[in-house]
């Protein structure tokens, strides 16, 4: 027998397979660190705002930035596939994927869809009230923007004229200029569907066409790197330039009074050509690390906007001598996929990310203006600046692992990182957003640098004073973060026989935990460097993760299994298996209840440590290489294979009802799409829950078990003050009832006579009889009738339910009416006592039985003491009450004793 003290019905989601199509615990929220792709940007002018905006294609969405601050102002709704072509007019943005393209209004929603192509669209050109599209099958279609109907369709022979560029020459009404891979150009009248003129070209494929500030003059970019300035009115070549960097990718002209043309290249360089002197004015080398995808001068301003596939968009200003530009504003993320991400600090607002491009960056989950780039690791900063990015032999390899702490980050470096195949570990300063001053490596390797020895694991203490570094040789060294001095080594020569797979320090700097490829987990005294304990594992670990607050250690193995070890008892407390690929990363929830793992099998699984069960699993298109959980528990962040973004998943258990029941062994998750840049609302998940037949609302029964003492669901106001009703009524009784003033008659009566006098008002007799009508009380209530029926049927459920629906005053009236002087009888009083006995026997509505019985005794004590039958029933109830209370008191005492011991004992 136990106690079931419940205050309300519990509701829980009871869907056995969680959700039919996705993990129920985490929902896609948004992506971080995505700014640009390989699609050229478009520049627009908003007349009412009097401001320029630049739109870039990022995955399946269009990002719109203002040029003034390069701040993001809008993110469009996600399309079905990645955008491959982009164009814009005064009102709309046009984006294509596959053989379909859409018109996006207000930088947000899709308002028009154009379908009709049979091949992939690769060129778009706005043309007044029409839009021109060209696909890879060499079919050109002119569409009416509003009606979405085809106005004209022209097919070209791919062998003789494969369309590779399109331009609407300025002031040329209804005419477009087409460039081909064969090198020739054609001028068409769209309205009459006529070929007006064919330009023979220069025998080389055309990559891009651009309108010059002068009328009738265009710039033609060729695959050979030549740029032709051509007058299409007279078919005359005015100038010819050549770049040695490969095909021309983009061309733009300055319109602020300087005759300058900029041309992009596939290797990220930009050439600036002086059109008056007809010579190269300057070069902007390494403007992007990849090809220049798009380039456009802001009309009337010395500003150049460029974007590339290196996930960067930059605004250059030309205000210096020599005509060269400098970066005025930029938005950039990783140019190569991230390899390791970790939350920085305890507020859950910054994510540190190390990428394959060798950079360490910080992304804000609040706003992009708080993003930071800590730069790229370098052996010698001064030499790296002189040589530039392309020829930098001093650049360090990409970061493979890092650890950070916010304590003392204002005083010295707070981040330590190890690099791929490199023996030296570097420190980084978050406040200065740069690489730190110290290079940490063992003293015996200070002069010679072995090739086959490198750092494999790092950790930093909670206080931020020490860094622990594990090597591929099995050595584990401790360094001071402030001075960079070597402070000791674990073991005589090395801590493990094999390579170090992971190191961790507890929250109090008492224990250092090391994991080696020799299959051992070793515990060392942090200060004395002495071995405390060694645990032999079943197989070789691939990585470890320590939750410092709870003292639990997650261990990932090479056989794709996971174990959880308690560092206090040095014992394995949980074992999990279910992944079918190498485990890439692990993270704990802030309270230490969940262990979340990602694997090369493209799944992310959540394991509940108290129950030892798998409670959530979702499948992705690409494997997550790194995971990190917010210290506040609101987001899970993931980085994926061959993906430049960092994806946030919201923890739905914080704001909605989520079932945490174990998943079945044969659970097969379906593919979940990665979230876009725009924050998603959790509407589709809620709709999915409504559609799930097994996700029903669980209603708790009135009594979980017959042996449990169960309280009712009624509020305390219904039963707690039943014994004090007379006091409450007396206290709330008004001293004098309010009197309504008598309204004056329209015609005031007068007394007849010589002298006019008003008649005195008649005195109304307000006195009412104080004699109570006994006939009213003589009527039997429903409760009284049910008690009478229960004398023969012995069924008291209906009468109890009636009493539970009444208020305190009504309950008192009902119990008063049970006595003979109130119109009742002794038999009905006996029936009421039997109802109380039934409640005590079944052990439910326990507090109601006490309250009703107490009020009954208070009202009818004199009658009960004079009636033998009532006295016998009261005696039986007293024995029942005493037995139940003795058992409850024993349970209470046991619980209090255990609680007192847990609070006072030294465990």
């Amino acid at each position: 027998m136990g106690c079931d003290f419940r205050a309300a019905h519990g509701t829980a989601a009871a869907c056995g397979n969680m959700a039919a199509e996705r993990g129920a615990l985490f929902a896609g929220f948004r992506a971080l660190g995505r700014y640009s792709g390989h699609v050229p940007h478009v520049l627009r002018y908003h007349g009412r705002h009097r401001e320029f905006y630049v739109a870039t294609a990022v995955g399946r969405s269009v990002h719109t930035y203002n040029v003034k601050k390069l701040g993001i102002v809008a993110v469009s709704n996600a399309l079905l596939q990645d955008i491959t072509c982009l164009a814009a007019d005064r009102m709309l943005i046009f984006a294509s994927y596959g053989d379909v393209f859409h018109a996006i209004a207000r930088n947000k929603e899709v308002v028009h869809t154009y379908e009709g192509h049979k091949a992939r669209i690769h060129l778009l050109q706005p043309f007044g009230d029409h839009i021109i599209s060209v696909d890879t099958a060499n079919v050109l279609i002119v569409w009416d923007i509003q009606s979405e109907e085809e106005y004209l369709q022209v097919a070209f022979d791919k062998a003789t004229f494969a369309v590779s560029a399109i331009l609407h020459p300025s002031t040329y009404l209804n005419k477009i200029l087409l460039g081909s891979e064969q090198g020739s150009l054609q001028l068409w009248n769209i309205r009459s569907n006529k070929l007006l003129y064919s330009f023979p070209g220069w025998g080389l494929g055309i990559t891009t066409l651009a309108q010059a500030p002068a009328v009738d003059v265009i710039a033609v970019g060729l695959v050979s790197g030549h740029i032709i300035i051509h007058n299409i009115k007279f078919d005359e070549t005015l100038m010819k330039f050549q770049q040695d960097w490969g095909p021309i990718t983009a061309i733009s002209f300055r319109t602020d009074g300087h005759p300058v043309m900029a041309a992009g290249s596939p290797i990220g360089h930009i050439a600036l050509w002086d059109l008056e002197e007809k010579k190269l004015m300057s070069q902007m080398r390494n403007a992007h690390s990849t090809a220049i995808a798009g380039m456009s001068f802001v009309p009337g301003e010395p500003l150049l906007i460029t974007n590339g596939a290196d996930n960067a968009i930059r605004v250059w200003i030309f205000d210096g001598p020599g005509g060269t530009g400098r970066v005025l504003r930029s938005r950039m993320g990783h140019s190569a996929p991230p390899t390791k991400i970790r939350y920085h600090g305890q507020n859950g607002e910054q994510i540190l990310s190390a990428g394959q491009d060798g950079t360490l960056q910080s992304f804000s989950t609040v706003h992009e203006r708080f993003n930071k780039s800590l730069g790229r690791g370098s052996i010698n900063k001064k030499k790296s600046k002189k040589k530039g990015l392309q020829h930098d032999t001093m650049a360090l390899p990409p970061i493979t692992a890092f650890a950070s702490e916010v304590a003392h980050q204002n005083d010295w470096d707070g981040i330590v990182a190890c690099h791929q195949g490199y023996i030296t570990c570097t420190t980084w300063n978050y406040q200065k957003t740069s690489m730190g001053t110290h290079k940490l490596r063992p003293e015996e390797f200070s002069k010679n640098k072995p090739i086959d020895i490198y750092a494999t694991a790092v950790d930093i203490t909670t206080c931020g004073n020490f860094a622990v570094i594990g090597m591929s040789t099995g050595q584990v060294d401790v360094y001071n973060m402030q001075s960079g001095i070597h402070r000791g080594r674990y073991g005589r020569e090395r801590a493990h026989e094999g390579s170090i797979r992971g190191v961790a320090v507890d929250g109090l700097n008492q224990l250092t935990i090391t994991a080696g490829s020799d299959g051992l987990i070793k515990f060392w005294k942090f200060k004395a460097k002495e071995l405390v304990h060694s645990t032999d594992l079943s197989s070789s670990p691939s990585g470890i993760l320590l939750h410092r607050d709870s003292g639990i250690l997650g261990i990932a193995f090479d056989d794709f299994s996971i174990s959880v070890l308690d560092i206090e008892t040095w014992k394995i407390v949980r074992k999990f298996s279910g992944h079918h690929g190498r485990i890439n990363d692990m993270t704990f929830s802030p309270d230490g209840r969940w262990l979340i793992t990602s694997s090369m099998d493209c799944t992310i699984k959540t394991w509940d440590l108290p129950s030892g069960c798998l409670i959530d699993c979702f499948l992705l298109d690409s494997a997550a290489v790194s995971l990190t959980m917010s210290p506040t528990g609101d987001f899970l962040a993931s980085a994926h294979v061959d993906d430049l973004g960092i994806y946030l998943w919201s923890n739905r258990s914080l704001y909605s009802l989520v079932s945490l029941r174990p998943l079945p062994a044969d659970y097969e998750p379906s593919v979940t799409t990665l979230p876009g840049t725009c924050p998603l609302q959790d509407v589709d998940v809620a709709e999915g829950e409504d559609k799930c037949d097994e996700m029903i609302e669980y209603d708790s029964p009135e009594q979980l078990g017959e042996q449990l003492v169960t309280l009712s669901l009624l509020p305390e106001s219904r039963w707690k003050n039943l014994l004090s009703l007379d006091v409450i009524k007396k206290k709330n009784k008004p001293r004098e009832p309010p009197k309504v003033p008598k309204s004056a008659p329209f015609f005031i009566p007068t007394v007849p006579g010589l002298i006019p006098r008003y008649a005195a008002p008649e005195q109304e007799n307000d006195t009412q009889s104080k004699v109570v009508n006994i006939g009213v009380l003589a009527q039997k209530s429903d409760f009284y009738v049910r008690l009478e029926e229960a004398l023969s049927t012995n069924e008291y459920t209906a009468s109890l339910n009636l009493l539970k629906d009444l208020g305190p005053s009504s309950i008192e009236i009902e119990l008063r009416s049970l006595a003979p002087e109130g119109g009742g009888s002794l038999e009905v009083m006996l029936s009421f006592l039997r109802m109380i006995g039934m409640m005590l026997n079944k052990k439910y509505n326990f507090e109601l039985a006490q309250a009703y019985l107490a009020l009954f005794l208070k009202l009818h004590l004199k009658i009960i003491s004079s009636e033998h039958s009532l006295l016998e029933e009261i005696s039986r109830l007293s024995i029942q009450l005493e037995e139940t209370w003795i058992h409850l008191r024993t349970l209470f005492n046991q619980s209090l004793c255990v609680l007192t011991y847990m609070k006072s004992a030294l465990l």
Side-chain angles (χ1 to χ4, degrees), residues 487-499:
R487 292 299 187 189
R489 178 174 295 171
Y490 293 96
R492 292 184 178 179
E493 294 184 359
R494 50 184 178 175
H496 289 265
E497 295 299 325
S499 173

Side-chain angles (χ1 to χ4, degrees), residues 109-120:
E109 65 267 10
V110 174
V111 292
H112 297 295
T113 301
Y114 307 91
E115 297 178 326
H117 282 281
K118 305 298 182 183
R120 182 178 64 84

Side-chain angles (χ1 to χ4, degrees), residues 763-771:
Q763 297 293 331
E764 294 185 2
N765 186 14
D766 290 338
T767 59
Q768 295 181 358
S769 174
K770 301 295 183 180
V771 179

Side-chain angles (χ1 to χ4, degrees), residues 782-800 827 830-832 834-835 838 842:
D782 292 340
F783 176 67
Y784 188 94
V785 173
R786 299 291 184 184
L787 286 179
E788 281 186 332
E789 294 175 354
L791 288 171
S792 57
T793 61
N794 203 24
E795 181 60 45
Y796 293 96
T797 305
S799 56
L800 177 60
E827 289 78 10
L830 186 63
S831 178
F832 177 81
R834 290 176 180 172
M835 182 188 74
M838 179 270 297
K842 292 188 176 181

Side-chain angles (χ1 to χ4, degrees), residues 78-310:
L79 304 182
L80 296 180
Q81 298 178 26
D82 288 347
I83 297 172
T84 56
C85 191
L86 204 62
D89 63 6
R90 188 174 61 88
M91 298 296 294
L92 301 172
I93 297 177
F94 302 94
S96 72
Y97 61 86
D99 56 0
V100 179
F101 71 99
H102 301 279
I104 300 173
R106 292 174 291 277
N107 302 319
K108 186 71 176 176
E109 65 267 10
V110 174
V111 292
H112 297 295
T113 301
Y114 307 91
E115 297 178 326
H117 282 281
K118 305 298 182 183
R120 182 178 64 84
I121 299 171
H122 71 103
L123 292 174
L124 289 174
Q125 176 64 49
F127 192 71
D129 294 333
H130 298 79
I131 176 76
I132 304 172
S133 59
V134 182
D135 60 21
T136 54
N138 234 24
V139 176
L140 181 147
I141 301 179
V142 182
W143 307 82
D144 185 279
I145 293 177
Q146 296 300 324
S147 65
E148 304 178 9
E149 296 178 354
E150 288 188 18
Y151 175 79
L152 175 67
Q153 181 170 330
V154 180
F156 296 90
D157 185 6
K158 204 168 185 178
T160 58
F161 194 85
V163 180
S164 60
I166 185 171
L167 174 70
H168 170 50
S170 180
T171 72
Y172 279 57
L173 188 65
N174 299 326
K175 298 174 183 63
I176 61 169
L177 183 66
L178 301 176
S180 68
E181 295 178 359
Q182 287 76 16
S184 59
L185 294 94
Q186 294 183 2
L187 185 66
W188 282 76
N189 188 314
I190 294 299
R191 186 169 186 178
S192 60
N193 190 18
K194 290 183 178 179
L195 175 63
L196 302 179
Y197 190 78
S198 292
F199 300 89
W202 299 268
L204 296 169
I206 297 173
T207 58
T208 182
L209 296 173
Q211 174 68 51
V215 181
D216 303 326
V217 178
I218 64 166
V220 182
L222 305 179
V223 294
S224 60
H226 288 82
I227 304 170
I228 311 297
I229 308 298
H230 196 75
N231 188 313
I232 58 175
K233 185 176 182 179
F234 301 105
D235 191 10
E236 179 184 355
T237 298
L238 304 179
M239 305 176 201
K240 190 173 183 180
F241 306 106
Q242 182 178 3
Q243 295 180 182
D244 297 330
W245 302 324
I248 305 299
T249 58
I251 299 175
S252 184
F253 291 87
R254 284 184 71 171
T255 57
D256 61 336
H258 293 75
V260 175
M261 178 187 67
S265 65
I267 59 176
H269 301 334
I270 297 175
L272 299 173
W273 300 90
D274 191 329
L275 300 179
E276 281 188 351
E277 302 291 335
K278 298 182 181 181
K279 66 178 182 179
L280 180 66
M281 186 173 67
S282 63
Q283 301 179 23
M284 297 166 56
R285 289 182 172 268
N286 305 315
H288 288 269
S289 59
T290 59
I292 306 294
M295 184 168 55
S296 54
F297 276 100
V298 178
E301 297 183 28
L303 299 177
L304 176 67
I305 303 173
T306 61
N307 79 298
D310 58 349

